[in-house]
Amino acid sequence: MKRYLIIPLVIIFFSLIDLSVAISDDTTKYTMNSKPLNSTTNPYGIQWQMSYGNNPFYGARYEGPQPIGDCDNDGDNELLIGGRDAMLRVMEWNDDLQTYEQTHSLRGPFYPLVRQDSDGFAIGDVTGDGDNEIVVSWYATVHKFVNGRYRIIAWNPWVEWNGGGNPDCYIGDCDNDGLNEVIVSCRDWKRAVPEIVIFKWNGKQLVKYADWDDVGVNGDVFMAGLGDVDDDGENEIVCAYENKVMVLNWDAQNKSFISTNIFTALGQNFPFGVVCKDCDNDGKAEILLSYVDYMGTNDPQITIFKWNGLGYFVQFDTTFPGGEPVIEGIDVGDTDDDGLNEVVVGAGLTHVLQWNGTTYVEEAILPTFGWMAVISIGDCDNDGKNEINAGNVIIESGQQYTEWVFKYNWKT
């Protein structure tokens, strides 16, 4: 959760620092087959856990959509951990000690004069040289590992200098030219900015390349997804804001995005986080959507949209009664090494779901707590098997801001 508007009490506290024609009307809420938290059939263990205290101005954890990858290009993956402490931590698995160690810390380009939090961050090849970089939302800054440390090689303050903020960033090929761009999710602070801004490496620096602006709407996009969600062989950007979900197709001829509103939310749950990955193991990407309830009265909710050749329909929709808001705590990946992807949802407790050919059934519940801004799946310890990284951004009195790594069949 990146300075989100939420229930009135939280707003005050943090101030101190028509369905589209493209979607069917099938909005059935499916019942999941649940297992109890302490079930002996739940084999996930806590591989690593870290407390960051109870100070909300330091300890709260933020989501980066691509926090697991080889960011120093040594052949092993690292894990990035960000939050409201003006720092991005680079964590590496120490196989001898059987734990994760912080090996580097990144700061914004103007630190300590400007103390910016790592709202969003991603690992990927931005410069097209075959090596990965780290992009952090502070001024869309590119960090590259050179001679034993991370150096800032580029940054572009276009969003901030035009009165906006960068809640998140994503690295991927959104114009389908074979090279990655930096996709920045935007919100307006002082004046309206586009909902999505695209930066591209021109061989020397990071330049503003394109944007998507819903004219007349000051929409706040906190998490955008990228993937081939309509099975046409090209990637689309999907983002949620102002109660709607937009799919953006790149028009190469006009060098702009063609937008389709695939969903408009009704009620108090508002579309928020987006992931575009293969949820049902058919080799095609679906759209996984989370919600935020600004009134604080509804159960947390997710919806999965699937392309049927003509439009997007609701494949799955469910709530988690009594849970905490999902925010951006959603991801998709093979978490139990069975060759099939799971859908992982942080709703206070973290729920692991899998498609059974008809619907999504609950395979496990993990003992997390709070508002889960962080759920990411990837191979953190470089054993060829994925882990689940989780973290919270809002907690109750007496709790600690916490980050976890869960591993299937992990024995402490």
Side-chain angles (χ1 to χ4, degrees):
M1 192 189 74
K2 294 138 182 168
R3 305 184 182 97
Y4 314 133
L5 296 176
I6 48 178
I7 59 177
L9 179 61
V10 180
I11 294 174
I12 295 171
F13 177 72
F14 282 106
S15 68
L16 299 175
I17 30 178
D18 341 303
L19 292 180
S20 166
V21 294
I23 181 171
S24 81
D25 60 1
D26 179 12
T27 55
T28 306
K29 289 193 181 298
Y30 298 89
T31 301
M32 297 179 298
N33 298 330
S34 298
K35 297 178 181 179
L37 176 61
N38 294 321
S39 170
T40 57
T41 61
N42 180 2
Y44 291 88
I46 298 176
Q47 186 187 43
W48 180 83
Q49 179 175 333
M50 178 64 69
S51 168
Y52 295 90
N54 58 12
N55 184 340
F57 303 106
Y58 178 87
R61 300 296 93 199
Y62 280 153
E63 167 76 344
Q66 298 158 302
I68 301 170
D70 183 7
C71 54
D72 62 3
N73 302 291
D74 66 349
D76 289 334
N77 287 339
E78 285 74 43
L79 168 66
L80 305 181
I81 296 179
R84 202 177 291 128
D85 48 14
M87 178 193 303
L88 183 66
R89 293 171 166 84
V90 180
M91 311 294 294
E92 297 189 43
W93 176 253
N94 186 317
D95 200 48
D96 292 331
L97 299 178
Q98 292 287 283
T99 190
Y100 293 90
E101 296 181 314
Q102 179 178 321
T103 55
H104 299 274
S105 61
L106 278 58
R107 299 285 193 176
F110 303 118
Y111 184 87
L113 296 178
V114 179
R115 189 184 185 280
Q116 261 191 309
D117 297 335
S118 52
D119 289 2
F121 39 91
I123 299 171
D125 182 6
V126 176
T127 62
D129 64 352
D131 288 338
N132 287 333
E133 291 82 33
I134 297 172
V135 177
V136 190
S137 56
W138 46 50
Y139 298 100
T141 300
V142 182
H143 301 256
K144 192 176 187 66
F145 194 75
V146 180
N147 295 328
R149 68 183 183 92
Y150 291 92
R151 302 173 185 268
I152 293 176
I153 64 167
W155 59 285
N156 193 312
W158 187 92
V159 174
E160 287 91 346
W161 286 2
N162 282 276
N166 296 349
D168 219 334
C169 58
Y170 193 100
I171 300 171
D173 184 8
C174 65
D175 66 354
N176 301 289
D177 68 345
L179 298 172
N180 288 333
E181 289 77 45
V182 177
I183 303 163
V184 173
S185 307
C186 301
R187 69 170 308 178
D188 61 298
W189 283 124
K190 298 178 181 178
R191 56 187 181 273
V193 293
E195 282 74 21
I196 296 290
V197 172
I198 310 300
F199 295 103
K200 196 175 186 72
W201 181 256
N202 69 356
K204 295 181 180 180
Q205 58 187 341
L206 201 65
V207 297
K208 182 176 179 290
Y209 176 65
D211 61 52
W212 158 250
D213 188 14
D214 193 345
V215 178
V217 175
N218 295 339
D220 293 338
V221 178
F222 291 101
M223 181 185 189
L226 178 74
D228 182 7
V229 295
D230 61 4
D231 197 33
D232 66 348
E234 296 187 342
N235 288 330
E236 291 79 38
I237 296 172
V238 185
C239 58
Y241 59 93
E242 292 295 308
N243 296 346
K244 53 189 174 182
V245 180
M246 304 294 291
V247 176
L248 309 180
N249 284 270
W250 179 252
D251 180 349
Q253 182 175 356
N254 295 307
K255 295 190 179 300
S256 61
F257 289 103
I258 300 172
S259 64
T260 304
N261 182 2
I262 70 166
F263 180 70
T264 300
L266 304 175
Q268 293 179 344
N269 278 2
F270 299 94
F272 200 82
V274 175
V275 169
C276 302
K277 295 182 181 179
D278 182 10
C279 299
D280 62 5
N281 298 292
D282 67 348
K284 302 175 183 179
E286 285 76 46
I287 300 170
L288 177 58
L289 175 70
S290 69
Y291 298 78
V292 164
D293 172 17
Y294 291 115
M295 301 302 294
T297 57
N298 289 348
D299 291 321
Q301 180 182 359
I302 64 165
T303 303
I304 298 176
F305 301 92
K306 188 174 183 65
W307 176 257
N308 66 3
L310 298 174
Y312 299 90
F313 72 96
V314 176
Q315 183 191 52
F316 181 73
D317 182 271
T318 194
T319 60
F320 301 88
E324 302 285 357
V326 177
I327 318 180
E328 297 149 313
I330 51 174
D331 203 3
V332 179
D334 182 5
T335 63
D336 59 5
D337 198 36
D338 65 351
L340 300 172
N341 284 343
E342 282 75 33
V343 173
V344 182
V345 182
L349 297 172
T350 294
H351 302 260
V352 182
L353 317 176
Q354 191 173 71
W355 179 252
N356 70 357
T358 303
T359 188
Y360 291 84
V361 297
E362 191 163 82
E363 293 190 327
I365 304 176
L366 309 182
T368 55
F369 58 87
W371 293 37
M372 302 299 295
V374 181
I375 291 289
S376 300
I377 299 170
D379 183 8
C380 304
D381 62 6
N382 299 290
D383 67 345
K385 302 175 183 179
N386 288 334
E387 290 74 47
I388 300 171
N389 172 223
N392 50 33
V393 71
I394 289 183
I395 56 175
E396 295 182 1
S397 176
Q399 295 178 333
Q400 300 280 308
Y401 292 101
T402 305
E403 190 104 11
W404 298 266
V405 176
F406 293 92
K407 189 173 183 65
Y408 189 76
N409 279 338
W410 178 257
K411 307 298 182 184
T412 56

